[in-house]
Amino acid sequence: GGTVTLPSNTMAVGDQVNVVSTASGGTITFGTAAGVTLIAAGTATKTNGQHAIATVVCYATNSFLLVGNITT
């Protein structure tokens, strides 16, 4: 488990990062720095347990989309 904080001004529009939760029973929670927007289905902001894969997509400056095997 752990937390990934998406900082500002670090990814270009169109960049993508895949994140895999490898810890046994662990999840990865996604957060944002000031001035950064994260959108996902509903209020999902974390991976759905061990071996879950999530992708962070930069769709505009300091704006990210979280997709994949995610949950609330």
Side-chain angles (χ1 to χ4, degrees), residues 15-40:
D15 284 354
Q16 298 182 33
V17 176
N18 294 315
V19 179
V20 180
S21 180
T22 58
S24 177
T27 60
I28 298 170
T29 302
F30 294 85
T32 61
V36 175
T37 300
L38 177 65
I39 61 170

Side-chain angles (χ1 to χ4, degrees), residues 36-57:
V36 175
T37 300
L38 177 65
I39 61 170
T43 58
T45 58
K46 62 185 179 180
T47 57
N48 195 17
Q50 187 177 18
H51 303 128
I53 300 172
T55 301
V56 177
V57 180

Side-chain angles (χ1 to χ4, degrees), residues 5 10-11 19 21 23-24 34 37 49 51 67 69 71:
T5 301
T10 57
M11 293 174 66
V19 179
S21 180
S24 177
T37 300
H51 303 128
V67 297
N69 191 354
T71 188

